[in-house]
Amino acid sequence: DGGITQSPKYLFRKEGQNVTLSCEQNLNHDAMYWYRQDPGQGLRLIYYSQIVNDFQKGDIAEGYSVSREKKESFPLTVTSAQKNPTAFYLCASSTPGQGIGELFFGEGSRLTVL
Amino acid sequence: ELKVEQNPLFLSMQEGKNYTIYCNYSTTSDRLYWYRQDPGKSLESLFVLLSNGAVKQEGRLMASLDTKARLSTLHITAAVHDLSATYFCAVDMEYGNKLVFGAGTILRVKS
């Protein structure tokens, strides 16, 4: 079945550590996105990529990094520079045509900093 | 900067009642999306509205888009407990290649 796979589902991190969240899609979508969701809030865009080897900062990119070496994969690294990383992270993909197109989401990764 | 406002942010309603969730946005766009999120889960696409006057219906939910008023509505008819969830609207920022989400409306349907 086609879809988006995020791993791990739950992750605990000590302060000062970098962690990488995986996102893989087999939908053959060109564009991929990372969103952050805090309790009781909407989604905020961290980074997005419309083609391989290219990506753009979203609204809250500070303390995060990404790569897009393959069409199927868009990993997100939460660095020690991110001051408040505890959140629910959602990866999404789409096939932009006229505009962004419908987003399809993975199941999410919940990161907790101890 | 595109702003997307939903209201109400919290809605508690009795089973069998009707209600409407509103989504207002601040700049020109003719593409709007509605998503549902269950607690602790990811987002599920409900409706894709791609033009002025678009209306989509699925079961007890109906969504519409008025691009001139910069307003979308999600109407709930004869609510049932299974509709309890958080509902988000998202607007495609024209030429921005990204979606901006509203804060979400938490819906609780009581028996």
Side-chain angles (χ1 to χ4, degrees), chain A residues 20-80:
Chain A
T20 297
L21 308 180
S22 170
C23 178
E24 303 277 332
Q25 56 100 358
N26 60 5
L27 299 168
N28 199 33
H29 285 171
D30 293 311
M32 298 186 73
Y33 307 82
W34 274 105
Y35 286 90
R36 169 180 171 142
Q37 186 179 30
D38 292 285
Q41 297 188 31
L43 280 67
R44 292 183 291 168
L45 183 64
I46 304 173
Y47 268 98
Y48 63 105
S49 168
Q50 293 182 291
I51 56 172
V52 174
N53 292 323
D54 187 47
F55 48 82
Q56 287 78 41
K57 292 181 179 180
D59 301 316
I60 56 165
E62 184 175 353
Y64 299 98
S65 65
V66 293
S67 62
R68 187 83 186 277
E69 296 177 1
K70 298 187 299 181
K71 186 176 183 178
E72 302 80 19
S73 178
F74 192 40
L76 173 73
T77 297
V78 184
T79 75
S80 57

Short mmCIF file of all heavy atoms in Angstrom, two decimals, chain A residues 20-80:
data_model
loop_
_atom_site.label_atom_id
_atom_site.label_comp_id
_atom_site.label_asym_id
_atom_site.label_seq_id
_atom_site.Cartn_x
_atom_site.Cartn_y
_atom_site.Cartn_z
N THR A 20 17.38 12.43 14.83
CA THR A 20 16.88 12.47 13.45
C THR A 20 15.60 11.66 13.34
O THR A 20 15.53 10.52 13.78
CB THR A 20 17.93 11.91 12.48
OG1 THR A 20 19.08 12.76 12.51
CG2 THR A 20 17.38 11.90 11.05
N LEU A 21 14.59 12.30 12.76
CA LEU A 21 13.31 11.66 12.51
C LEU A 21 13.25 11.27 11.04
O LEU A 21 13.55 12.07 10.16
CB LEU A 21 12.16 12.62 12.84
CG LEU A 21 12.20 13.26 14.23
CD1 LEU A 21 10.99 14.18 14.41
CD2 LEU A 21 12.24 12.20 15.31
N SER A 22 12.81 10.05 10.81
CA SER A 22 12.78 9.53 9.45
C SER A 22 11.40 9.72 8.83
O SER A 22 10.38 9.61 9.50
CB SER A 22 13.13 8.03 9.47
OG SER A 22 12.89 7.44 8.21
N CYS A 23 11.38 10.02 7.53
CA CYS A 23 10.14 10.10 6.77
C CYS A 23 10.39 9.51 5.39
O CYS A 23 11.25 10.00 4.65
CB CYS A 23 9.67 11.54 6.66
SG CYS A 23 8.15 11.69 5.68
N GLU A 24 9.63 8.47 5.07
CA GLU A 24 9.76 7.81 3.77
C GLU A 24 8.38 7.72 3.13
O GLU A 24 7.40 7.39 3.79
CB GLU A 24 10.30 6.38 3.93
CG GLU A 24 11.64 6.29 4.65
CD GLU A 24 12.80 6.55 3.72
OE1 GLU A 24 12.67 6.29 2.50
OE2 GLU A 24 13.86 6.99 4.22
N GLN A 25 8.30 8.01 1.82
CA GLN A 25 7.02 7.89 1.12
C GLN A 25 7.19 7.10 -0.16
O GLN A 25 8.23 7.20 -0.83
CB GLN A 25 6.43 9.29 0.84
CG GLN A 25 7.32 10.25 0.06
CD GLN A 25 7.01 10.36 -1.42
OE1 GLN A 25 6.12 9.67 -1.93
NE2 GLN A 25 7.75 11.22 -2.11
N ASN A 26 6.17 6.32 -0.48
CA ASN A 26 6.18 5.56 -1.73
C ASN A 26 5.00 5.96 -2.61
O ASN A 26 4.47 5.13 -3.38
CB ASN A 26 6.19 4.05 -1.44
CG ASN A 26 4.97 3.60 -0.65
OD1 ASN A 26 4.08 4.40 -0.39
ND2 ASN A 26 4.95 2.34 -0.27
N LEU A 27 4.61 7.21 -2.49
CA LEU A 27 3.49 7.74 -3.27
C LEU A 27 3.97 8.39 -4.57
O LEU A 27 3.16 8.90 -5.34
CB LEU A 27 2.72 8.76 -2.43
CG LEU A 27 2.10 8.21 -1.14
CD1 LEU A 27 1.61 9.35 -0.25
CD2 LEU A 27 0.97 7.26 -1.48
N ASN A 28 5.27 8.42 -4.75
CA ASN A 28 5.88 9.08 -5.91
C ASN A 28 5.57 10.58 -5.94
O ASN A 28 5.47 11.19 -7.01
CB ASN A 28 5.43 8.44 -7.23
CG ASN A 28 6.36 8.77 -8.37
OD1 ASN A 28 7.57 8.93 -8.18
ND2 ASN A 28 5.82 8.89 -9.56
N HIS A 29 5.43 11.17 -4.75
CA HIS A 29 5.17 12.60 -4.66
C HIS A 29 6.46 13.39 -4.75
O HIS A 29 7.49 12.99 -4.21
CB HIS A 29 4.48 12.93 -3.33
CG HIS A 29 3.04 12.53 -3.32
ND1 HIS A 29 2.28 12.57 -2.17
CD2 HIS A 29 2.22 12.09 -4.30
CE1 HIS A 29 1.05 12.18 -2.45
NE2 HIS A 29 0.99 11.87 -3.73
N ASP A 30 6.38 14.52 -5.43
CA ASP A 30 7.57 15.36 -5.57
C ASP A 30 7.87 16.16 -4.30
O ASP A 30 9.01 16.36 -3.95
CB ASP A 30 7.38 16.34 -6.73
CG ASP A 30 7.32 15.62 -8.07
OD1 ASP A 30 8.21 14.78 -8.32
OD2 ASP A 30 6.40 15.91 -8.86
N ALA A 31 6.83 16.66 -3.66
CA ALA A 31 7.02 17.58 -2.54
C ALA A 31 6.85 16.88 -1.20
O ALA A 31 5.99 16.01 -1.04
CB ALA A 31 6.02 18.73 -2.64
N MET A 32 7.68 17.27 -0.25
CA MET A 32 7.59 16.74 1.11
C MET A 32 7.72 17.87 2.11
O MET A 32 8.38 18.89 1.82
CB MET A 32 8.64 15.66 1.35
CG MET A 32 8.47 14.45 0.43
SD MET A 32 9.59 13.09 0.78
CE MET A 32 8.89 12.44 2.32
N TYR A 33 7.11 17.67 3.28
CA TYR A 33 7.00 18.75 4.27
C TYR A 33 7.19 18.19 5.67
O TYR A 33 6.83 17.05 5.95
CB TYR A 33 5.60 19.39 4.21
CG TYR A 33 5.19 19.84 2.83
CD1 TYR A 33 4.66 18.93 1.92
CD2 TYR A 33 5.32 21.17 2.44
CE1 TYR A 33 4.28 19.33 0.65
CE2 TYR A 33 4.95 21.58 1.18
CZ TYR A 33 4.43 20.66 0.29
OH TYR A 33 4.06 21.05 -0.97
N TRP A 34 7.71 19.04 6.54
CA TRP A 34 7.75 18.73 7.97
C TRP A 34 6.99 19.82 8.73
O TRP A 34 7.25 21.01 8.55
CB TRP A 34 9.18 18.67 8.50
CG TRP A 34 9.82 17.34 8.33
CD1 TRP A 34 10.78 16.99 7.42
CD2 TRP A 34 9.57 16.17 9.11
NE1 TRP A 34 11.14 15.68 7.58
CE2 TRP A 34 10.41 15.16 8.61
CE3 TRP A 34 8.73 15.87 10.18
CZ2 TRP A 34 10.44 13.87 9.15
CZ3 TRP A 34 8.75 14.59 10.71
CH2 TRP A 34 9.60 13.60 10.18
N TYR A 35 6.05 19.36 9.58
CA TYR A 35 5.28 20.25 10.43
C TYR A 35 5.52 19.87 11.89
O TYR A 35 5.76 18.72 12.23
CB TYR A 35 3.78 20.14 10.15
CG TYR A 35 3.34 20.79 8.88
CD1 TYR A 35 3.32 20.08 7.68
CD2 TYR A 35 2.91 22.11 8.86
CE1 TYR A 35 2.90 20.67 6.51
CE2 TYR A 35 2.48 22.71 7.70
CZ TYR A 35 2.48 21.99 6.52
OH TYR A 35 2.06 22.59 5.37
N ARG A 36 5.38 20.87 12.73
CA ARG A 36 5.44 20.67 14.18
C ARG A 36 4.07 21.02 14.75
O ARG A 36 3.46 22.03 14.36
CB ARG A 36 6.51 21.57 14.78
CG ARG A 36 6.48 21.65 16.30
CD ARG A 36 7.55 22.55 16.85
NE ARG A 36 7.34 22.74 18.29
CZ ARG A 36 8.31 22.82 19.18
NH1 ARG A 36 9.59 22.75 18.78
NH2 ARG A 36 8.04 22.98 20.45
N GLN A 37 3.61 20.20 15.70
CA GLN A 37 2.35 20.49 16.38
C GLN A 37 2.58 20.46 17.89
O GLN A 37 3.05 19.46 18.43
CB GLN A 37 1.26 19.48 16.00
CG GLN A 37 -0.10 19.82 16.57
CD GLN A 37 -1.17 18.84 16.16
OE1 GLN A 37 -0.92 17.68 15.92
NE2 GLN A 37 -2.41 19.33 16.07
N ASP A 38 2.23 21.53 18.55
CA ASP A 38 2.28 21.62 20.00
C ASP A 38 0.87 21.38 20.54
O ASP A 38 -0.12 21.65 19.83
CB ASP A 38 2.84 22.96 20.44
CG ASP A 38 4.31 23.07 20.06
OD1 ASP A 38 5.11 22.42 20.76
OD2 ASP A 38 4.66 23.77 19.10
N PRO A 39 0.76 20.93 21.79
CA PRO A 39 -0.56 20.58 22.34
C PRO A 39 -1.57 21.70 22.18
O PRO A 39 -1.30 22.84 22.53
CB PRO A 39 -0.25 20.30 23.81
CG PRO A 39 1.16 19.85 23.82
CD PRO A 39 1.85 20.65 22.75
N GLY A 40 -2.73 21.36 21.65
CA GLY A 40 -3.81 22.32 21.52
C GLY A 40 -3.59 23.38 20.46
O GLY A 40 -4.33 24.36 20.42
N GLN A 41 -2.60 23.15 19.60
CA GLN A 41 -2.32 24.16 18.58
C GLN A 41 -2.38 23.57 17.18
O GLN A 41 -2.43 22.35 16.99
CB GLN A 41 -0.94 24.77 18.83
CG GLN A 41 -0.84 25.50 20.17
CD GLN A 41 0.46 26.26 20.30
OE1 GLN A 41 1.01 26.73 19.31
NE2 GLN A 41 0.95 26.39 21.51
N GLY A 42 -2.34 24.45 16.23
CA GLY A 42 -2.31 24.02 14.84
C GLY A 42 -0.92 23.58 14.42
O GLY A 42 -0.02 23.43 15.25
N LEU A 43 -0.76 23.36 13.14
CA LEU A 43 0.51 22.90 12.60
C LEU A 43 1.34 24.08 12.11
O LEU A 43 0.81 24.99 11.47
CB LEU A 43 0.27 21.95 11.42
CG LEU A 43 -0.08 20.51 11.76
CD1 LEU A 43 -1.42 20.38 12.44
CD2 LEU A 43 -0.02 19.65 10.50
N ARG A 44 2.63 24.00 12.39
CA ARG A 44 3.54 25.05 11.90
C ARG A 44 4.61 24.40 11.01
O ARG A 44 5.18 23.36 11.37
CB ARG A 44 4.18 25.79 13.07
CG ARG A 44 3.19 26.63 13.87
CD ARG A 44 3.89 27.40 14.97
NE ARG A 44 4.37 26.53 16.03
CZ ARG A 44 5.21 26.91 16.99
NH1 ARG A 44 5.67 28.16 17.01
NH2 ARG A 44 5.59 26.07 17.92
N LEU A 45 4.88 25.03 9.89
CA LEU A 45 5.78 24.47 8.90
C LEU A 45 7.23 24.68 9.29
O LEU A 45 7.65 25.81 9.54
CB LEU A 45 5.49 25.11 7.53
CG LEU A 45 6.29 24.59 6.36
CD1 LEU A 45 5.99 23.12 6.08
CD2 LEU A 45 5.99 25.44 5.12
N ILE A 46 8.01 23.60 9.28
CA ILE A 46 9.43 23.67 9.63
C ILE A 46 10.28 23.82 8.37
O ILE A 46 11.03 24.78 8.21
CB ILE A 46 9.88 22.42 10.41
CG1 ILE A 46 9.00 22.20 11.65
CG2 ILE A 46 11.34 22.55 10.82
CD1 ILE A 46 9.28 20.88 12.36
N TYR A 47 10.19 22.84 7.48
CA TYR A 47 10.92 22.85 6.22
C TYR A 47 10.04 22.18 5.15
O TYR A 47 9.17 21.37 5.48
CB TYR A 47 12.22 22.03 6.33
CG TYR A 47 13.45 22.81 6.71
CD1 TYR A 47 13.88 22.83 8.03
CD2 TYR A 47 14.19 23.50 5.76
CE1 TYR A 47 15.04 23.53 8.39
CE2 TYR A 47 15.35 24.19 6.11
CZ TYR A 47 15.75 24.20 7.44
OH TYR A 47 16.89 24.89 7.79
N TYR A 48 10.30 22.50 3.90
CA TYR A 48 9.66 21.79 2.83
C TYR A 48 10.59 21.66 1.64
O TYR A 48 11.54 22.44 1.48
CB TYR A 48 8.33 22.43 2.42
CG TYR A 48 8.41 23.83 1.86
CD1 TYR A 48 8.26 24.06 0.50
CD2 TYR A 48 8.59 24.92 2.70
CE1 TYR A 48 8.30 25.35 -0.02
CE2 TYR A 48 8.63 26.20 2.19
CZ TYR A 48 8.48 26.42 0.84
OH TYR A 48 8.53 27.70 0.34
N SER A 49 10.32 20.66 0.83
CA SER A 49 11.15 20.37 -0.34
C SER A 49 10.24 20.03 -1.51
O SER A 49 9.37 19.18 -1.40
CB SER A 49 12.07 19.18 -0.03
OG SER A 49 12.68 18.70 -1.21
N GLN A 50 10.49 20.70 -2.62
CA GLN A 50 9.65 20.45 -3.79
C GLN A 50 10.31 19.52 -4.79
O GLN A 50 9.62 18.91 -5.63
CB GLN A 50 9.29 21.77 -4.45
CG GLN A 50 8.39 22.63 -3.57
CD GLN A 50 8.00 23.92 -4.23
OE1 GLN A 50 8.83 24.80 -4.42
NE2 GLN A 50 6.75 24.05 -4.57
N ILE A 51 11.63 19.43 -4.73
CA ILE A 51 12.35 18.49 -5.61
C ILE A 51 13.57 17.98 -4.87
O ILE A 51 14.01 18.57 -3.87
CB ILE A 51 12.78 19.16 -6.93
CG1 ILE A 51 13.64 20.40 -6.65
CG2 ILE A 51 11.58 19.51 -7.80
CD1 ILE A 51 14.26 21.00 -7.88
N VAL A 52 14.13 16.93 -5.40
CA VAL A 52 15.32 16.34 -4.79
C VAL A 52 16.45 17.36 -4.79
O VAL A 52 16.59 18.16 -5.72
CB VAL A 52 15.73 15.07 -5.58
CG1 VAL A 52 17.05 14.52 -5.06
CG2 VAL A 52 14.64 14.02 -5.47
N ASN A 53 17.24 17.33 -3.72
CA ASN A 53 18.41 18.19 -3.54
C ASN A 53 18.06 19.67 -3.41
O ASN A 53 18.93 20.54 -3.63
CB ASN A 53 19.42 18.01 -4.70
CG ASN A 53 20.06 16.63 -4.66
OD1 ASN A 53 20.35 16.09 -3.60
ND2 ASN A 53 20.26 16.05 -5.84
N ASP A 54 16.83 19.96 -3.06
CA ASP A 54 16.42 21.33 -2.83
C ASP A 54 15.40 21.38 -1.71
O ASP A 54 14.50 20.53 -1.63
CB ASP A 54 15.82 21.93 -4.10
CG ASP A 54 15.55 23.41 -3.93
OD1 ASP A 54 16.44 24.14 -3.45
OD2 ASP A 54 14.43 23.85 -4.27
N PHE A 55 15.53 22.37 -0.81
CA PHE A 55 14.55 22.52 0.25
C PHE A 55 14.55 23.98 0.72
O PHE A 55 15.52 24.72 0.48
CB PHE A 55 14.82 21.58 1.44
CG PHE A 55 16.25 21.57 1.92
CD1 PHE A 55 16.72 22.55 2.80
CD2 PHE A 55 17.14 20.59 1.51
CE1 PHE A 55 18.02 22.53 3.25
CE2 PHE A 55 18.45 20.56 1.95
CZ PHE A 55 18.89 21.54 2.82
N GLN A 56 13.44 24.36 1.34
CA GLN A 56 13.27 25.74 1.80
C GLN A 56 12.85 25.76 3.27
O GLN A 56 12.17 24.84 3.74
CB GLN A 56 12.19 26.47 0.99
CG GLN A 56 12.59 26.85 -0.41
CD GLN A 56 12.54 25.68 -1.36
OE1 GLN A 56 11.63 24.88 -1.30
NE2 GLN A 56 13.53 25.58 -2.23
N LYS A 57 13.24 26.82 3.95
CA LYS A 57 12.82 26.99 5.33
C LYS A 57 11.35 27.35 5.38
O LYS A 57 10.84 28.09 4.54
CB LYS A 57 13.64 28.11 5.99
CG LYS A 57 15.11 27.76 6.18
CD LYS A 57 15.83 28.91 6.87
CE LYS A 57 17.30 28.55 7.09
NZ LYS A 57 18.04 29.66 7.76
N GLY A 58 10.70 26.83 6.41
CA GLY A 58 9.35 27.23 6.69
C GLY A 58 9.33 28.34 7.72
O GLY A 58 10.26 29.14 7.82
N ASP A 59 8.28 28.36 8.53
CA ASP A 59 8.11 29.45 9.47
C ASP A 59 8.94 29.30 10.75
O ASP A 59 9.20 30.27 11.45
CB ASP A 59 6.64 29.56 9.85
CG ASP A 59 5.76 29.82 8.63
OD1 ASP A 59 6.16 30.67 7.79
OD2 ASP A 59 4.72 29.17 8.49
N ILE A 60 9.34 28.06 11.07
CA ILE A 60 10.04 27.83 12.35
C ILE A 60 11.25 26.93 12.15
O ILE A 60 11.45 25.95 12.85
CB ILE A 60 9.08 27.23 13.42
CG1 ILE A 60 8.43 25.95 12.91
CG2 ILE A 60 8.01 28.23 13.82
CD1 ILE A 60 7.77 25.14 14.01
N ALA A 61 12.11 27.25 11.20
CA ALA A 61 13.22 26.38 10.82
C ALA A 61 14.40 26.40 11.81
O ALA A 61 15.23 25.48 11.80
CB ALA A 61 13.72 26.77 9.44
N GLU A 62 14.49 27.40 12.65
CA GLU A 62 15.65 27.51 13.54
C GLU A 62 15.76 26.31 14.47
O GLU A 62 14.80 25.92 15.14
CB GLU A 62 15.56 28.79 14.38
CG GLU A 62 16.78 29.02 15.24
CD GLU A 62 16.74 30.35 15.98
OE1 GLU A 62 15.84 31.16 15.71
OE2 GLU A 62 17.62 30.57 16.84
N GLY A 63 16.95 25.71 14.49
CA GLY A 63 17.19 24.55 15.34
C GLY A 63 16.90 23.22 14.67
O GLY A 63 17.01 22.17 15.30
N TYR A 64 16.53 23.27 13.40
CA TYR A 64 16.22 22.06 12.63
C TYR A 64 17.08 22.04 11.36
O TYR A 64 17.50 23.08 10.88
CB TYR A 64 14.75 22.03 12.23
CG TYR A 64 13.77 22.02 13.36
CD1 TYR A 64 13.16 23.21 13.78
CD2 TYR A 64 13.42 20.84 14.01
CE1 TYR A 64 12.25 23.22 14.82
CE2 TYR A 64 12.50 20.84 15.05
CZ TYR A 64 11.92 22.03 15.45
OH TYR A 64 11.01 22.03 16.48
N SER A 65 17.30 20.83 10.84
CA SER A 65 17.94 20.69 9.53
C SER A 65 17.31 19.52 8.80
O SER A 65 16.76 18.61 9.41
CB SER A 65 19.45 20.50 9.66
OG SER A 65 19.74 19.27 10.30
N VAL A 66 17.40 19.57 7.48
CA VAL A 66 16.83 18.51 6.64
C VAL A 66 17.78 18.20 5.50
O VAL A 66 18.72 18.94 5.24
CB VAL A 66 15.46 18.91 6.05
CG1 VAL A 66 14.39 19.05 7.14
CG2 VAL A 66 15.57 20.19 5.23
N SER A 67 17.48 17.10 4.81
CA SER A 67 18.16 16.78 3.56
C SER A 67 17.13 16.12 2.65
O SER A 67 16.14 15.57 3.11
CB SER A 67 19.34 15.84 3.79
OG SER A 67 18.91 14.61 4.34
N ARG A 68 17.40 16.21 1.35
CA ARG A 68 16.50 15.54 0.38
C ARG A 68 17.38 14.95 -0.72
O ARG A 68 17.46 15.44 -1.84
CB ARG A 68 15.52 16.55 -0.21
CG ARG A 68 14.46 15.90 -1.09
CD ARG A 68 13.31 15.33 -0.36
NE ARG A 68 12.38 14.60 -1.16
CZ ARG A 68 11.39 15.12 -1.89
NH1 ARG A 68 11.25 16.43 -1.99
NH2 ARG A 68 10.54 14.33 -2.53
N GLU A 69 18.01 13.85 -0.39
CA GLU A 69 18.92 13.20 -1.33
C GLU A 69 18.19 12.23 -2.25
O GLU A 69 18.67 11.90 -3.33
CB GLU A 69 20.03 12.47 -0.55
CG GLU A 69 20.91 13.42 0.24
CD GLU A 69 21.95 12.68 1.06
OE1 GLU A 69 21.99 11.43 0.99
OE2 GLU A 69 22.71 13.36 1.77
N LYS A 70 17.03 11.77 -1.82
CA LYS A 70 16.22 10.87 -2.62
C LYS A 70 14.78 11.38 -2.63
O LYS A 70 14.32 11.99 -1.66
CB LYS A 70 16.24 9.45 -2.04
CG LYS A 70 17.57 8.80 -1.99
CD LYS A 70 17.45 7.35 -1.55
CE LYS A 70 16.87 7.24 -0.16
NZ LYS A 70 16.76 5.82 0.29
N LYS A 71 14.06 11.09 -3.68
CA LYS A 71 12.68 11.55 -3.79
C LYS A 71 11.83 10.97 -2.67
O LYS A 71 10.91 11.60 -2.18
CB LYS A 71 12.11 11.11 -5.15
CG LYS A 71 10.72 11.63 -5.45
CD LYS A 71 10.30 11.23 -6.85
CE LYS A 71 8.95 11.81 -7.19
NZ LYS A 71 8.54 11.46 -8.57
N GLU A 72 12.16 9.74 -2.25
CA GLU A 72 11.32 9.05 -1.28
C GLU A 72 11.55 9.47 0.17
O GLU A 72 10.77 9.14 1.04
CB GLU A 72 11.56 7.53 -1.37
CG GLU A 72 11.30 6.93 -2.73
CD GLU A 72 12.46 7.16 -3.69
OE1 GLU A 72 13.60 7.45 -3.23
OE2 GLU A 72 12.24 7.05 -4.91
N SER A 73 12.65 10.16 0.44
CA SER A 73 13.07 10.34 1.82
C SER A 73 13.32 11.80 2.16
O SER A 73 13.95 12.54 1.38
CB SER A 73 14.36 9.53 2.04
OG SER A 73 14.84 9.71 3.34
N PHE A 74 12.88 12.20 3.37
CA PHE A 74 13.05 13.59 3.80
C PHE A 74 13.27 13.59 5.31
O PHE A 74 12.38 13.95 6.09
CB PHE A 74 11.81 14.39 3.41
CG PHE A 74 11.95 15.89 3.54
CD1 PHE A 74 13.10 16.55 3.18
CD2 PHE A 74 10.87 16.66 4.00
CE1 PHE A 74 13.21 17.94 3.28
CE2 PHE A 74 10.95 18.04 4.11
CZ PHE A 74 12.13 18.68 3.74
N PRO A 75 14.45 13.22 5.77
CA PRO A 75 14.70 13.16 7.22
C PRO A 75 14.84 14.53 7.85
O PRO A 75 15.37 15.46 7.22
CB PRO A 75 16.01 12.37 7.32
CG PRO A 75 16.67 12.59 6.00
CD PRO A 75 15.58 12.73 4.98
N LEU A 76 14.40 14.64 9.08
CA LEU A 76 14.47 15.89 9.85
C LEU A 76 15.38 15.66 11.06
O LEU A 76 15.17 14.73 11.83
CB LEU A 76 13.08 16.29 10.35
CG LEU A 76 13.01 17.49 11.30
CD1 LEU A 76 13.27 18.80 10.55
CD2 LEU A 76 11.66 17.54 12.00
N THR A 77 16.37 16.53 11.22
CA THR A 77 17.23 16.48 12.40
C THR A 77 16.88 17.61 13.33
O THR A 77 16.83 18.78 12.90
CB THR A 77 18.71 16.56 12.02
OG1 THR A 77 19.06 15.42 11.23
CG2 THR A 77 19.60 16.58 13.27
N VAL A 78 16.57 17.25 14.57
CA VAL A 78 16.31 18.24 15.60
C VAL A 78 17.62 18.44 16.34
O VAL A 78 18.13 17.51 16.98
CB VAL A 78 15.21 17.76 16.57
CG1 VAL A 78 14.87 18.84 17.58
CG2 VAL A 78 13.97 17.33 15.78
N THR A 79 18.19 19.60 16.23
CA THR A 79 19.52 19.82 16.79
C THR A 79 19.43 20.35 18.22
O THR A 79 18.36 20.75 18.69
CB THR A 79 20.33 20.80 15.93
OG1 THR A 79 19.83 22.12 16.16
CG2 THR A 79 20.24 20.46 14.46
N SER A 80 20.56 20.39 18.88
CA SER A 80 20.62 20.89 20.25
C SER A 80 20.31 22.39 20.30
O SER A 80 20.04 22.94 21.36
CB SER A 80 21.99 20.61 20.86
OG SER A 80 23.00 21.17 20.06
#
